[in-house]
Each structure stands twice: as structure tokens, then as C-alpha cells.
Amino acid sequence: MTPLKADEIYGNWATLLLPINNDDSINYEQLESEIDVLIASNVNGIYSNGTAGEFYNQTEQEFDKVNGILATKCNAAGMPFQIGCSHMSPKISLERVKRAKALQPSAIQIILPDWFVPSMEEIIDFLKVICAAADPIKLILYNPRMPKENFCRKNLQKYLKQVSLWQDAKLLVAMSSGTRK
């Protein structure tokens, strides 16, 4: 897929729900069927590994397989898709971004590291590294209520204007409900 710009991400994006078998393994056959249904539903796009996709509970092998299936089906159908590369560990997020980039998603979604409250300098450093790894694919900074540092759009834009991330439009911001300002 062609990487999307901020104004091209709109409408109804369907979340990929992770089907789990009774033995706690992923039901990949059901996952493929789910993706087919979402594509046939003519949503504006599909995204993986949000909180409903159990991103924090997947092994890296499971992460790669889930997103490989999503990418194969969406690229074949011309369906825009985002890959969620979020993880509590910034190193795991970075490695996920590097692997996801090869799948040619429309965008890559991340959260801020949330094991501890990072300083603004640490947040900017993290975003610079992640943006460089994802380039030319744009990042969506998902700001759920879970992180220990929660931003409103106005405050985040103020900080990002201090670095090239915002001006170069390498970072898109998707704010969770209750934090829009």
C-alpha cells in the first residue's frame, strides 16, 4: 500500500479482533475469515494490534504472523491498513516497527512507552528513533488512557514543533476519547 497522509485517514477503520482458541493459541483460520469479512464490508481501513488485538500479550512470532496475514490480504484487495507496533517496551516497539515496515502498511500505530513516566525529552527522542525506523511510512501516535503520560493535542503539537517530526508530517496524532482539545 501507499503510505497515507493525515488527511487520508478518515472514516470507519475496523479493528482486527484477535480470535483465541480454548488453549490460548491464536485461531489463524478465523483471523483470515475476519479479515475477509472486514474487506467485504468496505470499511475505510483495518488496523491490527490495538488493545482488542492483545498486542501486549502476543509473542513476536505471533505478531509477525498476524500482521503478515493482514498485509497479504489487504495489499491484495487494495484495502488500507495500519499495523499496531505498540508495546510497553520501547525496544520491542522499535523492532516491531522495523519488521512492519517491510509489510508496506498505510500507517504504523504506536503508543508511548508506559512502564514509567518518560520526560518530554525522552518522549521526543523515542519518537525521533521510531519515525526514522518507519520512514517513509507515517506513524500514528495512539494516546489511550493507559499511558502514565496523557496528552491533549494542543500540548503535544507544541512539543513536536520543536523537532522536525511535526513539520515533516512524519507523525500523525490520533487522540483517544476524552483527550481531544
Side-chain angles (χ1 to χ4, degrees), residues 12-180:
N12 184 12
W13 282 72
T15 186
L16 192 58
L17 300 175
L18 196 63
I20 304 293
N21 294 313
N22 289 335
D23 66 357
D24 289 334
S25 63
I26 297 172
N27 185 327
Y28 293 106
E29 187 175 300
Q30 189 175 348
L31 182 74
E32 289 187 32
S33 296
E34 179 186 348
I35 294 168
D36 291 339
V37 167
L38 293 174
I39 290 171
S41 298
N42 292 319
V43 294
N44 294 90
I46 302 170
Y47 68 94
S48 70
N49 289 355
T51 51
E54 303 283 328
F55 75 85
Y56 49 86
N57 229 5
Q58 291 178 20
T59 67
E60 294 311 285
Q61 183 180 11
E62 290 169 333
F63 172 88
D64 291 342
K65 187 166 184 176
V66 165
N67 290 297
I69 293 169
L70 177 66
T72 298
K73 288 188 167 284
C74 287
N75 281 325
M79 172 64 66
F81 68 102
Q82 299 173 29
I83 295 177
C85 293
S86 300
H87 197 277
M88 289 72 63
S89 164
K91 289 188 179 277
I92 293 174
S93 286
L94 176 59
E95 293 306 314
R96 285 181 172 189
V97 167
K98 290 175 182 177
R99 294 193 315 275
K101 180 179 174 179
L103 299 175
Q104 301 176 310
S106 306
I108 292 175
Q109 189 178 109
I110 61 165
I111 61 171
L112 294 175
D114 70 351
W115 187 252
F116 63 94
V117 180
S119 69
M120 190 50 62
E121 183 179 339
E122 290 167 325
I123 290 169
I124 298 299
D125 286 346
F126 170 75
L127 293 174
K128 283 181 180 180
V129 169
I130 297 290
C131 284
D135 193 48
I137 298 167
K138 307 296 188 241
L139 295 180
I140 294 176
L141 177 58
Y142 178 50
N143 192 28
R145 293 187 177 270
M146 283 112 43
K148 291 169 180 61
E149 183 69 44
N150 204 302
F151 296 104
C152 70
R153 183 182 307 269
K154 183 178 175 183
N155 289 344
L156 185 58
Q157 288 175 347
K158 179 178 85 173
Y159 288 111
L160 293 179
K161 284 181 182 179
Q162 297 173 19
V163 295
S164 64
L165 298 175
W166 195 258
Q167 291 98 329
D168 295 344
K170 291 181 181 173
L171 182 69
L172 311 174
V173 181
M175 305 303 279
S176 65
S177 62
T179 61
R180 288 186 168 97

